[in-house]
Amino acid sequence: MGPHEELRHDYERECRLTAGPAAIDCEPDTGFLTARLPVPSLAFGSVATFASAVNRLLAVGGLPPQDRRLDPERIAASFAGDKAMRIDGAPVSGFAPLSGFFAAADGWVRTHANYPHHHARLLRALDLSTDADPGLVSTRIGELPKQEVEDRAAEEGAIAAAVRTDAEWRAGPQATASPLVRMTTGGAGTAGERGAPPTDPHRPLAGVRVLDLTRVLAGPVAGRALALLGAQVLRIDPPHLHEIDWQHRDTGQGKRSALLDLGSTEGAATMRDLLDTADVLLTGYRPGALDRFGLAQDRPGLIRGSVSAWGTEGPWADRRGFDSIVQAASGIALIEGDEHPGALPVQALDHGSGYLLAAGVVDALAMRTGDGIGRTVSVSLARTARWLLEAPGRTEAPSAPRLPGPSTVVTHGSTTAARPPLAEYDQYPYPAHDWGADAPHWI
């Protein structure tokens, strides 16, 4: 079994799906995404899983499945979107000054403060002033046990995790067993109109409407993958929480971008109207966070895609988290580090989870053409991390990852971004629109 096949096999087995009706091969890996853990297996495997789901959808429409040969260089460039991105020719910064590893009194913690509100909450959790710099943060964390830093952050709604070993994480309360991708049917009354089968093998999701309410990075990657296949993807953001510019330019490709205040009567009504005519709803908020806006109401035939950091069950289900934080908590950071904790060469948990979620949504849409039933598809970064930690193919002394070449990026105006991971597509349908520039309605 090749490095791209393990993950696809696990997904299809757990979701009780037949193997895709065409060959999904992968060119030999020549040193992209190298690490101690088998990151190429996760990257190539998640994209292969997505491609295999597309072939099952094509078969539903009576279209010939597509044999695909994955290009490791294109996949590596897509997974390293932050490294490939250039704005006015200049590279972008993936992490803010208060995001990173800090030595605690008895070990290490990793923080995430890329957004201004997370920055402010972290300083409050540490009892520091709003103008505290990284040096003061380092000194303060050095005075505290790592568990106290983690607990303080959780209580304040900030984001920090104690750096654990793999064994420590597995022995903890949140390391519960769950499927790699959970796919369930909705409750009573979820049968609706059957979706139309695809008619265009290059754009098999043409006519599908996707509401993307996700942020950083797994959910937006899933929405971008659906847009690549021709879906109309409308991303909705709250007007008071601006997205980080480079992330929007990368994961917003192929989407429209609108702003809605769901706390207002007008905004909530507009969202309900959009949702009543949507085929797919993607969310990345903590469990129950959007219930007060009526988004939990059952809607016939709706496919719900959900991504979380820690999963929907267990004591950490409502805790915030990102790829880097899950790496720290789950044992990956210590495996990839030496004297200090380290990190994977790319945010592979985010991107891998994104393509797994996109695959699940595509398979759910294929099933809906037969039975009209809506389904919920969910993934978590922590479960994807568990797959990576258990996958074969570790190496103790990996070489430095090769950098993808210039053929893997495309430039539109001032923005240079990675091309799609499927080499059959030269680029996404169109560059990212300016954040919030579109009206909140379907075209």
Side-chain angles (χ1 to χ4, degrees), residues 198-262:
T199 58
D200 182 347
H202 196 69
R203 302 178 69 250
L205 294 186
V208 172
R209 293 173 169 179
V210 179
L211 273 178
D212 183 354
L213 274 62
T214 65
R215 301 171 78 88
V216 202
L217 284 167
V221 165
R224 186 183 63 182
L226 300 177
L228 182 66
L229 301 180
Q232 181 183 166
V233 181
L234 177 61
R235 171 162 167 168
I236 301 292
D237 281 292
H240 63 279
L241 191 59
H242 203 291
E243 181 58 290
I244 295 170
D245 182 58
W246 76 261
Q247 289 180 174
H248 177 70
R249 296 197 197 200
D250 181 20
T251 61
Q253 296 177 90
K255 308 176 188 179
R256 293 166 59 239
S257 171
L259 304 180
L260 271 181
D261 179 5
L262 300 187

Side-chain angles (χ1 to χ4, degrees), residues 75-163:
I75 294 173
S78 181
F79 271 59
D82 57 333
K83 297 179 177 64
M85 174 71 65
R86 296 290 185 273
I87 299 177
D88 292 325
V92 301
S93 176
F95 290 98
L98 295 191
S99 296
F101 291 107
F102 291 90
D106 59 349
W108 293 87
V109 297
R110 179 145 194 175
T111 61
H112 194 289
N114 286 4
Y115 285 104
H117 59 294
H118 291 154
H119 176 109
R121 289 173 185 171
L122 178 64
L123 294 179
R124 286 200 301 270
L126 296 172
D127 295 326
L128 292 173
S129 63
T130 57
D131 61 350
D133 61 19
L136 286 174
V137 171
S138 178
T139 298
R140 177 60 174 147
I141 290 177
E143 298 169 348
L144 301 172
K146 62 181 182 180
Q147 187 61 56
E148 183 175 345
V149 176
E150 181 179 274
D151 292 342
R152 281 170 170 253
E155 291 172 4
E156 192 64 49
I159 302 172
V163 175

